Amino acid sequence: LSLLAAASAAAQACSWLWLRSDPPALRPAVPVALLAALHLLQLGFFFRCLHALKVGWRVCWAKAEEEDEQRHMAFLSHDISMLRLFETFLENTPQLTLLLYIILRTNKAELSQGLGMGTAFLCVSWSLLDYHQSLRSFLQDKYELSLRSSIIYFLWNLFLICPRILVVALFALLWPYGLAVHFPLVWLAMFLWVSLQGTDFMESAGPEQLYRAMVAVVLYFSWFNVAQGRTLYRSIIYHGFILVDSTLLALAWLWGRAPSEEHSYLLPVVSAALPCYLLGLGLRVTYYKWLHPNVQVRQEGRFDEVDASDRVEFRSFLEPDLVNRRMQWLAQTHFTLSQPARQHFLNGAAAV
């Protein structure tokens, strides 16, 4: 409960800081005191969703030539996607690990527990896909995720996350207090990893440390890019570290388990974890080799040799008025943006 409370408080703090840094014209028409009270009551994310529904309803009835509301809706949806991702990895994923631990500990599972656990695994992967689609919405229409790309992206995250959660739960099965030592150590390593990459997501140094701490929790379970430039070497380092760490957790469980038939069914499950992880890595390589926007740019030959290497452009309707600076910065970490796109880097309208 303490961990859930801390995770919820961190997400609400991010939501509040983002609202305070947004241009006044884009903030909800609600008194600041009421917004603060909603966030103190842990209702900030819920309020954002209701506000987005209200703006989305206006967009449905707006005239085709009126794009301000569409831009406003895009602005809101990016923050909601990011907060949903944080909520998934700070609250839902630890709960999923705990549920799996309880099932293994009691060696029995209700049908509702099995369905809930399977749904939770799918929701974790879906939150990553939704976040990636939100970043893609900054790019031109031709670079949106196709159905095939979405399936590949969803599957490679699913195949990478499932073995990670499994080995963490198995390690906790024998050494629950050992996990209380393992998680802070890995989290600290990930926090230092993020800090060394020099993130620039929040508006000031203090909130930036909060963002890095939350990203470090995400990195405990899944890859999350936070720096600009090529990600190949960073990905190799990260996945190599997670693969070694997960292997050690699995070997610790194999070494410490009692030679009984109680959990004998787990042996083939653990044996399948490594091929599952390698399959996820293979699907990820497939995505970045054939389905990434930079690959589409190369195939189209949009830029000549004078230009820098592969570059993609923002949608024109998001320039220059309403651009979510936070998500634009994250989009630049995932996609090499063209120079005109980098010039519009204010958080919202430049006039405010």
Side-chain angles (χ1 to χ4, degrees):
L1 291 177
S2 299
L3 291 175
L4 286 176
S8 179
Q12 298 295 326
C14 271
S15 176
W16 170 251
L17 291 169
W18 296 350
L19 282 174
R20 296 297 294 167
S21 65
D22 287 343
L26 296 179
R27 297 174 189 169
V30 176
V32 175
L34 179 57
L35 282 176
L38 288 172
H39 283 81
L40 286 175
L41 295 173
Q42 309 302 297
L43 297 174
F45 180 74
F46 180 71
F47 172 77
R48 279 180 174 273
C49 293
L50 290 180
H51 181 60
L53 287 174
K54 178 181 177 181
V55 176
W57 180 258
R58 290 204 303 263
V59 170
C60 292
W61 292 98
K63 296 180 180 179
E65 61 271 11
E66 295 180 356
E67 295 184 351
D68 287 345
E69 293 294 343
Q70 295 178 9
R71 295 168 179 171
H72 191 186
M73 185 63 203
F75 189 98
L76 296 174
S77 65
H78 299 318
D79 283 343
I80 289 176
S81 176
M82 189 70 176
L83 287 172
R84 185 186 298 113
L85 182 71
F86 283 152
E87 180 186 40
T88 297
F89 282 96
L90 271 67
E91 297 184 31
N92 299 342
T93 305
Q95 289 243 20
L96 174 59
T97 307
L98 177 61
L99 176 59
L100 182 58
Y101 165 80
I102 292 173
I103 291 175
L104 295 175
R105 191 72 175 177
T106 59
N107 203 30
K108 61 181 180 179
E110 302 288 341
L111 178 61
S112 59
Q113 287 179 316
L115 292 176
M117 191 168 59
T119 303
F121 274 112
L122 296 177
C123 288
V124 172
S125 298
W126 182 263
S127 68
L128 288 166
L129 175 61
D130 177 73
Y131 164 76
H132 191 71
Q133 288 176 330
S134 178
L135 292 182
R136 283 262 193 160
S137 67
F138 274 103
L139 309 182
Q140 293 180 357
D141 294 338
K142 65 179 68 179
Y143 302 125
E144 285 189 346
L145 275 179
S146 64
L147 178 60
R148 180 183 60 175
S149 302
S150 299
I151 293 174
I152 295 297
Y153 196 91
F154 177 85
L155 288 178
W156 73 255
N157 281 291
L158 181 65
F159 290 151
L160 292 180
I161 291 172
C162 288
R164 179 63 175 174
I165 293 178
L166 173 63
V167 296
V168 170
L170 287 175
F171 182 77
L173 188 63
L174 296 181
W175 294 285
Y177 295 104
L179 184 62
V181 176
H182 175 266
F183 174 79
L185 290 178
V186 175
W187 174 86
L188 180 60
M190 294 302 172
F191 180 80
L192 295 175
W193 166 262
V194 174
S195 300
L196 290 174
Q197 295 182 64
T199 62
D200 186 25
F201 183 75
M202 306 292 275
E203 300 290 338
S204 58
E208 189 68 26
Q209 299 305 314
L210 173 63
Y211 166 74
R212 292 174 180 177
M214 297 172 73
V215 169
V217 178
V218 178
L219 287 169
Y220 183 84
F221 296 100
S222 174
W223 163 258
F224 188 86
N225 187 32
V226 295
Q228 301 176 17
R230 292 180 60 84
T231 62
L232 176 61
Y233 298 112
R234 292 197 299 268
S235 297
I236 292 174
I237 294 173
Y238 171 80
H239 287 292
F241 176 86
I242 292 296
L243 184 58
V244 171
D245 181 69
S246 299
T247 301
L248 292 176
L249 293 180
L251 291 176
W253 173 79
L254 288 171
W255 174 74
R257 74 183 187 92
S260 65
E261 297 294 327
E262 186 178 5
H263 295 99
S264 59
Y265 64 91
L266 287 176
L267 289 176
V269 175
V270 174
S271 301
L274 179 59
C276 181
Y277 195 87
L278 295 178
L279 176 59
L281 290 178
L283 289 175
R284 187 181 178 197
V285 171
T286 300
Y287 173 82
Y288 281 99
K289 187 172 181 61
W290 288 288
L291 302 174
H292 195 271
N294 289 346
V295 177
Q296 300 177 43
V297 170
R298 288 198 299 266
Q299 291 174 348
E300 295 168 5
R302 287 175 51 94
F303 302 101
D304 55 31
E305 296 180 356
V306 177
D307 292 309
S309 60
D310 315 322
R311 299 186 295 183
V312 293
E313 296 179 333
F314 281 141
R315 294 175 188 261
S316 58
F317 79 87
L318 285 178
E319 299 178 351
D321 299 324
L322 302 179
V323 174
N324 187 323
R325 190 203 71 89
R326 296 179 292 272
M327 296 302 289
Q328 186 176 14
W329 186 86
L330 287 172
Q332 188 171 348
T333 66
H334 285 72
F335 316 111
T336 307
L337 304 178
S338 62
Q339 190 63 32
R342 299 184 184 185
Q343 296 173 359
H344 304 291
F345 224 65
L346 295 175
N347 187 17
V352 293

